[in-house]
Amino acid sequence: NNLKEIENQLLKNEIDFALIETLPLHQLHKIPFYKDELVIIVNKKHPLLKTNNLKELENYDYYSREKGSSIYELVQSYFISHKLDIHPSIECVNPSSLIELVRYNNGFTILPSSLVKNEKEIALIKNKDFYFILTAADGNKVSLIRTVEEFRGFLACLSGANEKDIIYGTGVWQKDDVNSTDLPQKAYELGKNV
């Protein structure tokens, strides 16, 4: 059953407890049972293994858990909040089927790492370095702190993700405003070291 249905059953005392993948509604008591992390899963020859740019995910099929599952909601929330134009090409209730899709196709899925730790023919996108380049019309970088924290929240779900640096581009409103700053040079210097 999906998360909302399980939570409703708990609230109505139709069931006594449930194991779920994310935090429950605030009115429900939680007891941590098992800690896991979400990982991006691709086949071993996938081009995504050669990039650190999450924007590249937009170019591939996304095999998703079903709408209403906690993983679906968490991942979709991340995609929306970070303006990633990624929509499921397939939704499936069975994680094993998602893994099989990845094994024989050029798409990706996002699942708990414990589901794939013994798989031989797929690869996890992990141990990657991440650089953040953020711009905002506001001249104060404090306005970008929330965005940085959202990115860090997603990185916490990825195995071995390492935040390397952040470039704050404040006071940038129009498309070409960035060209009158030192931001392109800073980005270039960071890129030389990747």
Side-chain angles (χ1 to χ4, degrees):
N1 292 334
N2 72 31
L3 179 63
K4 287 183 180 160
E5 186 174 328
I6 291 170
E7 288 174 335
N8 285 333
Q9 289 175 344
L10 286 165
L11 291 169
K12 293 176 183 175
N13 290 319
E14 293 174 359
I15 58 175
D16 294 323
F17 71 94
L19 298 176
I20 59 174
E21 299 162 325
T22 60
L23 295 175
L25 293 171
H26 68 287
Q27 14 344 12
L28 296 172
H29 179 69
K30 69 172 180 148
I31 301 170
F33 178 74
Y34 184 78
K35 184 177 180 180
D36 205 344
E37 59 189 357
L38 294 179
V39 291
I40 301 170
I41 304 163
V42 295
N43 67 46
K44 287 203 172 211
K45 296 179 182 177
H46 203 288
L48 284 171
L49 292 171
K50 297 176 183 166
T51 183
N52 289 328
N53 185 353
L54 289 179
K55 192 88 172 145
E56 288 293 315
L57 293 172
E58 293 178 348
N59 300 320
Y60 298 93
D61 285 336
Y62 171 44
Y63 311 133
S64 173
R65 285 292 308 269
E66 78 283 4
K67 192 175 284 189
S69 75
S70 54
I71 290 176
Y72 178 96
E73 302 302 330
L74 180 65
V75 172
Q76 286 303 111
S77 174
Y78 176 82
F79 290 162
I80 291 167
S81 68
H82 294 91
K83 295 181 173 74
L84 292 172
D85 188 24
I86 301 172
H87 306 281
S89 52
I90 294 175
E91 292 179 21
C92 182
V93 298
N94 186 335
S96 297
S97 296
L98 294 172
I99 292 167
E100 288 302 305
L101 281 166
V102 164
R103 187 185 322 273
Y104 298 108
N105 294 284
N106 220 20
F108 70 97
T109 191
I110 299 175
L111 294 170
S113 63
S114 60
L115 295 178
V116 293
K117 64 182 174 187
N118 296 322
E119 294 288 335
K120 303 287 187 248
E121 296 173 20
I122 60 172
L124 309 180
I125 296 180
K126 60 182 184 176
N127 301 323
K128 296 280 187 178
D129 293 333
F130 290 85
Y131 298 82
F132 302 135
I133 302 173
L134 304 128
T135 61
D138 190 336
N140 188 341
K141 85 175 190 179
V142 172
S143 63
L144 291 169
I145 297 300
R146 169 100 178 170
T147 303
V148 170
E149 291 308 315
E150 292 290 333
F151 277 124
R152 286 178 176 151
F154 182 70
L155 292 187
C157 297
L158 299 177
S159 180
N162 184 25
E163 179 184 321
K164 295 295 278 186
D165 209 339
I166 302 173
I167 296 176
Y168 292 98
T170 56
V172 176
W173 177 253
Q174 299 296 325
K175 182 172 69 170
D176 291 330
D177 288 352
V178 73
N179 294 328
S180 62
T181 70
D182 63 347
L183 296 175
Q185 184 61 34
K186 285 182 180 178
Y188 173 76
E189 292 299 325
L190 280 179
K192 286 193 326 188
N193 298 320
V194 175

